[in-house]
Amino acid sequence: MALRRATLTLTFFFQTPPPSLYLTHTSSLSIPKPTTTTTTPSLISFRHYSSISASKTLTPSEKPFLFIPPGVEPTEINDSMILPFSNIVIGPYAGDSKIKDVEFIKSSPRAKDCPKDDRPEFAVLGRSNVGKSSLINSLVRKKELALTSKKPGKTQLINHFLVNKKWYLVDLPGYGFAKASEAAKTDWSSFTKGYFLNRDTLVSVLLLIDASVPPQRIDFDCANWLGRNNIPVTFVFTKCDKMKVAKGKRPDENIKEFQEIIKQNYKQHPPWIMTSSVTGLGRDDLLLHVSQLRNYWDQ
């Protein structure tokens, strides 16, 4: 995967390193039909290698699909370097991740109207009703920074928030809002894509995936578009606290199914992390991941 600035690259680790550092995407999308299994994976299975001693150096077979940041050699990775409930390795560029100050800067109807400075930014994107506003409010610990609503699709502009006067958190319109007019859907998609393709200060997209429901085709369509256009992405699974559902699978099962499908379309698996705006799961770790991307970009 490549960050937006020239000369900056981030790689994903495989047992056999891929020849390209970009997200390699295949054109086909195959979503298998739900199957019934006799065994149910536990949430703890996503806490990578939890049974391995923290001091043990992992072998290649023990660390498939890890996200390895700059400054870390694959042979040096041990379990203590992997963030819980994620595939993200923490390296030397991870720094102070505390959010001390957040300021709303502006709402822009078009990409060309966005703030014009060199500060790095992270865009938050997801299907309508994925919990985007709740996650943003949880990250900054301000209940009404990103306005939440019972009506999905309320965000219709590109909203820039300046964090610690150093970097931007960008709230983008949700996609797939069923009650929006077709014209509105087209407009949202058009200016959002324009933002991705023309924003040189974009470090990464935080693509939110609702873990409380089965994998959705619209999420794969979005992920595939980002991959085809070499836009760096981190999958952020939301609503991971909802462990009991009346129908269907648990969040950990949905996440596993999502990842199995993504493997068909990405030869290099993007970083991913589990979160909950209710319990705070993954909040600090996601910010730590953001800090190492930002610090490397900003060097």
Side-chain angles (χ1 to χ4, degrees), residues 68-276:
I68 299 183
V72 176
E73 292 295 329
T75 56
E76 298 175 352
I77 297 174
N78 61 60
D79 185 57
S80 66
M81 299 169 65
I82 305 170
L83 291 177
F85 304 109
S86 81
N87 72 334
I88 300 169
V89 175
I90 288 300
Y93 287 96
D96 184 7
S97 59
K98 292 182 179 179
I99 292 183
K100 304 171 185 176
D101 177 70
V102 182
E103 177 186 1
F104 171 73
I105 300 300
K106 68 178 299 187
S107 294
S108 306
R110 297 167 298 181
K112 66 179 182 179
D113 299 322
C114 291
K116 295 177 175 60
D117 57 46
D118 293 329
R119 292 186 177 96
E121 56 193 52
F122 293 80
V124 185
L125 178 68
R127 184 169 53 84
S128 294
N129 207 31
V130 73
K132 179 165 58 71
S133 295
S134 295
L135 178 70
I136 292 175
N137 292 336
S138 174
L139 289 176
V140 301
R141 287 185 170 158
K142 289 189 176 181
K143 292 183 179 180
E144 297 182 355
L145 183 72
L147 187 63
T148 57
S149 172
K150 293 183 179 179
K151 295 181 179 180
K154 191 173 183 63
T155 302
Q156 300 181 30
L157 299 169
I158 303 173
N159 300 305
H160 274 74
F161 300 94
L162 183 60
V163 181
N164 296 341
K165 302 189 183 303
K166 293 182 178 180
W167 58 279
Y168 288 114
L169 190 63
V170 185
D171 184 10
L172 295 175
Y175 54 82
F177 178 36
K179 293 185 179 180
S181 67
E182 289 301 320
K185 289 181 184 179
T186 301
D187 289 344
W188 295 354
S189 175
S190 177
F191 80 71
T192 299
K193 288 181 178 179
Y195 165 83
F196 290 135
L197 296 175
N198 298 290
R199 199 67 179 166
D200 292 336
T201 52
L202 177 63
V203 178
S204 183
V205 175
L206 305 180
L207 181 56
L208 275 52
I209 307 295
D210 187 346
S212 69
V213 299
Q216 303 292 303
R217 181 177 295 275
I218 193 171
D219 291 329
F220 290 109
D221 288 343
C222 181
N224 288 340
W225 186 89
L226 292 170
R228 286 194 301 270
N229 289 279
N230 297 317
I231 308 297
V233 61
T234 294
F235 293 128
V236 179
F237 294 102
T238 63
K239 305 182 183 181
C240 292
D241 57 288
K242 297 185 177 182
M243 296 309 298
K244 293 183 179 180
V245 292
K247 297 180 180 179
K249 298 179 180 179
R250 300 196 317 262
D252 55 309
E253 296 174 294
N254 290 328
I255 291 172
K256 184 175 182 180
E257 184 177 349
F258 180 92
Q259 301 215 44
E260 288 299 319
I261 298 171
I262 277 293
K263 286 194 298 185
Q264 301 174 25
N265 299 283
Y266 280 76
K267 291 183 179 179
Q268 303 175 40
H269 202 300
W272 62 268
I273 187 169
M274 300 172 69
T275 69
S276 167

